[in-house]
Amino acid sequence: MAGTTDRRKGGARQSLCIGIDIGGTHSDGVLAAGTRILAASKVGTCHEDLLVSIRALLARLLEGRNAAEVAAVKLSTTLTTNAIVTGRIAAVALLVSGGPGIAAEHYRIGPQFHQIRGSLNHVGLETAALDRDELAAALAECRQAGIRHYAVVSKFSPRNPVHEVQMAAAVQAGGAGHVLSCGHQLSGSLNFGRRIGTAYFNAAVSDIARNFAGALGQSLKDFGLAQAGVHILKADGGTLPLARALDMPVQSILSGPAASVMGALATLPQHGDVALLDIGGTTTDLALLADGQPLLEREGIALAGRPTLVRALRVQSIGLGGDSAIHVEKGRVSCGPERSGPCMATGGREPAVMDACNLLGRARYGDVAASKAGLLRLAASCGMPAETLAQAALDCAAQTIHRALLALIEEVNSKPLYTIQEILTERRIAPKKLVLIGGPAAVFRPLLEEQTGLPVLCPQLAGITNAIGAALCRPTGILELHANTARRTLLATAAGVVRHIDRNFTLQDAVAEAKRLLQASMEESGMALEPDDMQLVQADAFNMVEDCYTSGQNMRVRVQVKPAVLGQAEVPATCRENEVRP
């Protein structure tokens, strides 16, 4: 991992880490030794082949460096997000067994959705065996349709995965080469509908993630980085080793916005309530910090309108950025939400927000002459001075961002707040300052100060803060454990643990076991935990009564390693962002 001590060649030094963030318009990268940023670069994102952008960044970051000193490469990528948004995902067959309560039909996804009779109750006892004939008929139909990707989910699988195990075995018995996602391996939370959505999307993006990983491995090998550990940023602001991320590719959804938040934490220490704005080329991401802590989507995010159990930082995106096109209709100037390509300063055909910044002298980005020529033509066509048009466009952009921020604050304050520490706060959030990052940050700083009336802070290297966040964030993990002393069973299904316990097993034993299992899991990820790194989120025990007597206890324990950065980034005065376009 980045920041480890290397004592080879007779001296102690910190190994190097590369952090890369693949954005919608630009991709950013940094080379770090611990928390010290040694080099930074920005390139245009090549959506047809993200590896073009990654290779361009590696070439710049490693120039004059020994690649063998790089211990880790951490990536935040839009790959799986874009695949879901554009519908470029694999066809998935869902095999679902229900039980008492809401019917599985309410969570139908896709044309190959098969309900298999059989059920478990809320404590995991089988109340109806899985119907093997129905399962065989469903699999025959799926194979006839040429389906290779399967997701299997039963309602109470975190309490007993037996039906998911049986359905998975039937899928695998049908031949090799199938992609399979089991709900109990993705989360230990009891939420049937969200687990269906999570398993479905996990199977749907699996091939995309594996193909990318294979090509990435070859690229890293070409740059002498075959020995570096590869980590993927998750939506909750932590990382997963690539090997584990390939089993759970759905966790990398929305890793870009998470990189924004973690980068802000790494570059500007925050106290009190803060609003974070990341202005990119295509979108602006908005987030809020409560007492310096990012907010968490406690239940999980929604993908393509479907709720999931993917834990994520609370971030909202709006369609406005430096490449947002400028429009004039009946004398009214507006910009966004669509992006009609790059701004004219970088070869686009229509004037955009960054072109307005160039014309007004607020920036010198790309081909300034092209920006001015495009805006002069647009201004002439609608009969207004070019400077007036450009200023109106920037005012519109600032107002749009401000309105979105106020709406986010109102929405967040309408319900309980959960931070990454999972602490429920019974108060309203009221930001006293803004932190602004992204390529156009310096340009928008005075505009947003005037628009919001709040002080606006921009960190050093504001244009590549996301890459700093990727480089300095650490692995995260969560483990949910269920113990039932009446049945004498202990389950941590996402960790693959099902074992026997005795009747004297206590809640304290359950907490200790959950921490032990999480620590073992994190150590497999290359992270040595300190005692304070693990946080107890839930520890409940309920008496179970049979025939008017207490038969045992049902225990639920949840522990986590919360998202955090390795420390505050140190940016030497000699470190400057440079830009190259693939």
Side-chain angles (χ1 to χ4, degrees), residues 88-433:
R88 293 182 294 103
I89 54 178
V92 175
L94 265 166
L95 306 177
V96 178
S97 69
I102 297 176
E105 182 65 28
H106 289 279
Y107 309 113
R108 171 180 288 274
I109 306 178
Q112 291 292 341
F113 185 91
H114 299 272
Q115 297 183 66
I116 312 301
R117 278 183 292 185
S119 63
L120 309 170
N121 67 15
H122 67 285
V123 295
L125 292 174
E126 186 176 68
T127 56
L130 203 64
D131 190 314
R132 301 298 184 123
D133 292 335
E134 279 191 0
L135 178 58
L139 288 174
E141 181 179 332
C142 293
R143 288 168 188 145
Q144 181 68 27
I147 300 294
R148 287 189 53 256
H149 297 72
Y150 293 82
V152 298
V153 184
S154 66
K155 179 169 284 188
F156 293 108
S157 61
R159 302 289 173 82
N160 185 351
V162 59
H163 283 180
E164 287 187 9
V165 170
Q166 291 172 1
M167 289 188 287
V171 170
Q172 293 168 330
H178 291 135
V179 175
L180 182 64
S181 286
C182 296
H184 72 275
Q185 294 175 342
L186 300 173
S187 174
S189 293
L190 280 179
N191 191 312
F192 189 34
R194 288 182 179 273
R195 204 162 351 101
I196 287 174
T198 306
Y200 175 86
F201 287 113
N202 196 67
V205 300
S206 179
D207 282 356
I208 294 170
R210 290 188 179 278
N211 291 340
F212 175 74
L216 174 64
Q218 183 57 54
S219 292
L220 295 178
K221 183 178 180 181
D222 293 343
F223 280 90
L225 297 169
Q227 84 293 340
V230 181
H231 301 253
I232 303 297
L233 194 67
K234 299 189 296 177
D236 70 354
T239 65
L240 270 179
L242 181 61
R244 297 186 66 181
L246 291 180
D247 291 330
M248 296 186 288
V250 72
Q251 295 289 345
S252 68
I253 301 292
L254 299 182
S255 63
S260 301
V261 176
M262 304 312 290
L265 294 179
T267 51
L268 286 174
Q270 300 305 327
H271 305 284
D273 294 349
V274 179
L276 168 65
L277 305 176
D278 179 6
I279 304 178
T282 306
T283 62
T284 293
D285 294 331
L286 303 93
L288 299 172
L289 307 183
D291 292 330
Q293 293 287 336
L295 303 185
L296 185 73
E297 294 278 11
R298 192 169 190 267
E299 296 297 325
I301 58 176
L303 300 174
R306 303 283 184 167
T308 74
L309 289 168
V310 177
R311 280 164 44 96
L313 300 182
R314 180 74 164 83
V315 179
Q316 180 173 313
S317 296
I318 61 172
L320 191 142
D323 286 343
S324 294
I326 297 173
H327 308 285
V328 182
E329 185 174 352
K330 296 181 180 180
R332 181 177 176 272
V333 180
S334 62
C335 53
E338 77 282 357
R339 175 181 183 268
S340 302
C343 61
M344 297 191 73
T346 54
R349 297 180 178 180
E350 296 183 32
V353 170
M354 281 307 298
D355 296 313
C357 296
N358 278 345
L359 184 135
L360 294 172
R362 292 179 176 270
R364 294 193 59 81
Y365 176 71
D367 187 346
V368 175
S371 294
K372 292 181 178 179
L375 280 165
L376 285 168
R377 284 195 298 270
L378 179 59
S381 70
C382 57
M384 71 172 64
E387 290 77 7
T388 302
L389 188 156
Q391 187 60 54
L394 295 188
D395 290 343
C396 173
Q399 291 164 9
T400 299
I401 293 172
H402 189 206
R403 285 195 298 268
L405 178 59
L406 292 176
L408 175 62
I409 294 171
E410 182 178 357
E411 180 184 348
V412 165
N413 282 331
S414 69
K415 59 188 70 173
L417 300 181
Y418 289 90
T419 71
I420 57 174
Q421 297 189 47
E422 296 265 323
I423 296 174
L424 176 63
T425 58
E426 301 289 348
R427 65 166 181 81
R428 294 177 63 83
I429 190 169
K432 297 298 189 294
K433 59 184 176 182

Side-chain angles (χ1 to χ4, degrees), residues 530-551:
E530 298 294 332
D532 293 341
D533 289 335
M534 278 189 292
Q535 182 182 28
L536 179 63
V537 177
Q538 179 185 18
D540 297 322
F542 305 92
N543 289 331
M544 303 182 67
V545 179
E546 296 180 13
D547 297 327
C548 299
Y549 293 95
T550 300
S551 59

